[in-house]
Amino acid sequence: ASSWVVDDPGRGVRVKQLLAALLSNPHYKAVSVLIVAEKPSVATDLARVLAKVPGVGKFEKHKDHFESETTMITSAVGHLVG
């Protein structure tokens, strides 16, 4: 399994809180692939290109991410270290 570390210790805690809130949301649906792009413009480009891939389907744009039936694309703010 892979793991990642956010260079701001406080941000790591906020990510855990965000995931907990997401999982407790009754409108949450599971996706099989999560893509974290380096910035919002790359996430937009990925959604546009991947929508043409069979099995991925059209992406719906949300405030801070894109979502299809099988894939969610979001973007990072700050530096991620893997």
Side-chain angles (χ1 to χ4, degrees), residues 34-47:
L34 172 64
I35 299 171
V36 180
E38 64 181 328
K39 55 187 177 180
S41 63
V42 174
T44 300
D45 291 343
L46 285 169

Side-chain angles (χ1 to χ4, degrees), residues 57-78:
K58 183 179 178 190
F59 283 88
E60 182 178 333
K61 183 176 181 176
H62 296 270
K63 179 181 176 187
D64 55 359
H65 70 280
F66 296 86
E67 191 172 343
S68 76
E69 288 295 319
T70 62
T71 307
M72 182 181 290
I73 303 172
T74 189
S75 57
V77 176

Side-chain angles (χ1 to χ4, degrees), residues 21-31 62 65 67 72:
L22 176 65
L23 293 173
S24 67
N25 184 333
H27 301 290
Y28 168 78
K29 66 178 182 181
V31 295
H62 296 270
H65 70 280
E67 191 172 343
M72 182 181 290

